[in-house]
Amino acid sequence: MSSGSSVGAAKDEHHHGQGVSVSSREVDTAAQLAAGLSEPLVPEEALRIRRKIDKHVLPLMCVLYWVQFMDKTTLGNSAILGIQTATHLTTAQYNRLGTVFYLSYLLFEYPQNLALQRFPVGKWMSVNIFVWSIALASHAACKNFAGLFVARFVLGMCEGSITAGFMIVSSMFYTRNEQTLRVGYWFLMNGTAQIISGFISFGTLHIHTKGFEAWQWFMVITGVITFILSVAYWFLFPDSPTTAWFLTMDERVKAIHRIKENQTGVENKHFKKEQLYEALRDPKTWLFALFAALDSIPNSLTNQQQIIVSSLGFTYLQTTLLGCIFGVVEIFTIFTGVHLSAHFKNGRAYVGAIYFIPTLVGIAVVNLLPWSNKAGLLVGQYMTGVCTTGFVLAVSWVGTVTAGHTKKVVTNAIMLSAYCIGNAAGPFLWKAQYKPRNHVPWAVIAACYIVCPIILLTIRFILDRENRKRDASIDDSVTEEYFIEKVTKDGKRIEIKVDKVCHISDHFT
């Protein structure tokens, strides 16, 4: 049985009827704030606090995820706005720009996760948003591949903090059941980003200024939007429930008490080596990583979709508007997927696996229909976006089955690193000799989407088996109490009993 408690004692042995005393340095921030709180939280009060959190946290998360996705896919939109011609990019160089973003993301993923543990989450993310807004706007000044390479590298370095930060914030503010829906809500903003960026692209095509092309306007406009958001995040986004500016001290305690059922801790700035080793030994860590890698290889479609649609014979103006439909499909599928998953107990794996089926059908349509059937090929292309739900559910799932702040940070870093590897490898599929049908890339994508649902079901099987073992081995005669050691103003050492905010088991299906 894994030991993922962020309130964990230095020893593993159980004490019958005795207390375990731990240093406040080893106890997460939430436990220290809630020390001594034992009264149950009234459901109505818990609901009121959750609504207050939703009001102040969720909109900011949704807007940032929209902006993040829009910014990292600016390359795809710019492809039909003239960036390739203006900067003299070959097909291979264009694909490398898609790869360098994720290579940078990968290189800085673990440092970003460490920084998210060491520094206030909201402030750290706001600094990264500010830097990437400058890098994004700087695209407009690039004249060649080298300049774009540097700009994309900085963009990937900074954006690596966002998904990892959101996974941590979601687990700090929401219960396990709530996380599935909330992660789904901010993830479906990817679809919103495709719609909004499509309209921005459409608008920039109508801007006619001497010496400044449509793709340059697109980069500047998106850069300004990101800059404004970085300022908002610095002042408005909370670092944790223990310091949330919109909660009173009493509400902060109740917000922590509300998520006790997560048993995964809130925040601990002390890096625990034992949790690092545990994460590395945990098979589900690597299964989630494998899923993330394989599911991300097809993401290279993001930078190819506009090119593919355009190759079907549509004008640039038509292509920008048709690209908005990809966003509509993504919003619909993620929204329905997370709600179905929340409705059916322990249904993440099943729902995620089922949502891969329409995508595989879409891939078959794209490859088997004659090239003259433009409408059918376009519909098949839209169907390939349905499986996004699987990754969304995996992201919310990994946070709810990982106990201990350090273990959570390490697991997130490994999963997102695998995500980067998949995204970095994907662009190499799209070689000039495969155009226009691209049968080879589609075959690889189909293979990935066949294996991914199998991995989800395997993870569920392992967790279910571990749950059964855990339930069979529970000894009700063993009681264990936890105390925080504190030093009073007059130098006295006292022990304060705390609720066991984190459980030693982290197996939840």
Side-chain angles (χ1 to χ4, degrees), residues 277-327:
Y277 299 142
E278 184 180 329
L280 296 176
R281 293 194 303 266
D282 194 334
K284 73 176 184 292
T285 298
W286 301 106
L287 283 170
F288 274 117
L290 179 61
F291 173 84
L294 294 177
D295 190 65
S296 299
I297 290 175
N299 284 352
S300 55
L301 272 170
T302 303
N303 288 330
Q304 300 293 329
Q305 281 170 343
Q306 300 284 54
I307 297 174
I308 293 173
V309 173
S310 178
S311 70
L312 293 175
F314 297 102
T315 67
Y316 287 162
L317 286 173
Q318 290 171 332
T319 300
T320 57
L321 294 178
L322 288 171
C324 296
I325 300 177
F326 288 107

Side-chain angles (χ1 to χ4, degrees), residues 2-75:
S2 63
S3 174
S5 175
S6 64
V7 193
K11 299 178 182 178
D12 288 331
E13 66 263 23
H14 293 284
H15 300 264
H16 294 261
Q18 297 180 0
V20 177
S21 179
V22 296
S23 167
S24 60
R25 186 167 177 256
E26 297 293 325
V27 183
D28 79 10
T29 311
Q32 294 182 55
L33 184 63
L37 180 67
S38 57
E39 295 181 4
L41 189 61
V42 178
E44 291 77 11
E45 181 68 359
L47 180 61
R48 183 186 70 81
I49 292 172
R50 192 202 75 192
R51 285 174 175 167
K52 197 170 184 179
I53 293 170
D54 280 342
K55 178 181 176 181
H56 291 89
V57 176
L58 197 56
L60 283 170
M61 295 177 78
C62 288
V63 172
L64 179 56
Y65 223 72
W66 150 47
V67 169
Q68 181 210 29
F69 190 82
M70 178 177 69
D71 290 353
K72 72 182 178 183
T73 57
T74 48
L75 190 63

